Amino acid sequence: MLKKMGEAVARVARKVNETVESGSDTLDLAECKLVSFPIGIYKVLRNVSDQIHLITLANNELKSLTSKFMTTFSQLRELRLEGNFLHRLPNEISSLQHLKAIDLSRNQFRDFPEQLTTLPMLETINLEENEIAADVPVEKLAAMPALRTINLRFNPLSAEVRVIAPPLIKFDMLMSPEGARAPPP
C-alpha cells in the first residue's frame, strides 16, 4: 500500500517538476490516484502558478477541491476534472475570471454548480454523467455573456428543465432523451 502511495507521489512530483522546468502552461495530474490536491504542490508552483492555464485532474479520486486551489490558480483558462467524486465546487471558483472551459463529467453532482454562472469568460461547461435532476439555473445561464455549450447528457433532468431551458437560451444545451442511460464505461 505504502509503496503504491510512494509511486503515486513520485509521479505527481515528476509531473509538477516538468511543468516548472519547461515553463509549461499545463499541469497534468490525470490518473494519479489523488484523493485531494497535494498541498506541497502550492509551494513548488508558487512562482509559476500565474502562468498555468490548464490543469487536468481527470480520473482521480477527488471528493472536493479547496478554495486555496481556486485562488492559487486564478489564471486558469481550462480545468479538467472529469471522472472524480466531486459533488460541489468551492465558492472561490468565482476567482477563475479567465476560465473558458470546465469539464466536470462523470462526477457526482446532484445540484448544478451555480457558482459557474459568475464566470464571465466561461464558454463550455461539461456536466455529462452526473446526477443533476432539477435546479438548473437556466435564467442565470442565459445571462452568461460567453457561454456557448453546456453538456447535461446522461443526467436525470426533470421534465421542467427540459421544457424551460430551450426557449430561454442562445447557447447549445446538450441533453439525452428522457430516461437514457449512459453507456457502461
Side-chain angles (χ1 to χ4, degrees):
M1 173 77 191
L2 270 172
K3 182 171 184 289
K4 260 221 156 91
M5 241 172 78
E7 281 168 21
V9 169
R11 184 161 170 220
V12 168
R14 195 170 61 244
K15 290 184 165 219
V16 171
N17 286 333
E18 277 167 19
T19 296
V20 173
E21 284 165 18
S22 64
S24 166
D25 68 348
T26 301
L27 176 61
D28 181 354
L29 295 177
E31 296 174 26
C32 286
K33 298 189 169 52
L34 295 175
V35 180
S36 62
F37 189 78
I39 303 229
I41 292 182
Y42 294 119
K43 250 202 180 102
V44 182
L45 294 178
R46 192 175 47 218
N47 300 323
V48 296
S49 60
D50 281 358
Q51 76 188 28
I52 292 178
H53 291 163
L54 164 62
I55 293 184
T56 299
L57 288 162
N59 304 318
N60 279 293
E61 293 161 32
L62 299 172
K63 291 190 173 63
S64 63
L65 280 174
T66 61
S67 47
K68 184 177 170 87
F69 177 87
M70 300 300 168
T71 51
T72 301
F73 298 109
S74 59
Q75 298 299 313
L76 280 179
R77 309 284 191 273
E78 188 176 347
L79 182 54
R80 306 202 44 194
L81 296 166
E82 66 270 26
N84 280 289
F85 301 117
L86 299 169
H87 58 94
R88 61 187 178 76
L89 294 171
N91 287 331
E92 288 76 7
I93 193 157
S94 62
S95 61
L96 301 184
Q97 291 289 301
H98 306 280
L99 196 69
K100 287 181 187 277
I102 187 162
D103 190 342
L104 295 165
S105 58
R106 304 195 322 278
N107 273 287
Q108 295 178 349
F109 285 89
R110 289 173 184 279
D111 299 310
F112 190 95
E114 203 161 312
Q115 306 96 315
L116 294 178
T117 60
T118 65
L119 300 179
M121 311 284 279
L122 199 56
E123 295 173 6
T124 311
I125 301 172
N126 187 349
L127 279 160
E128 188 167 339
E129 277 187 65
N130 275 280
E131 291 155 39
I132 298 167
D135 292 336
V136 175
V138 175
E139 287 90 351
K140 287 185 178 173
L141 290 168
M144 289 174 70
L147 192 62
R148 291 211 301 249
T149 308
I150 175 162
N151 182 348
L152 287 167
R153 281 192 286 232
F154 303 118
N155 278 285
L157 295 171
S158 67
E160 190 186 352
V161 173
R162 296 166 177 284
V163 173
I164 290 177
L168 282 177
I169 56 182
K170 55 189 181 302
F171 52 85
D172 293 329
M173 187 157 164
L174 310 175
M175 297 186 271
S176 313
E178 209 160 348
R181 280 269 154 273

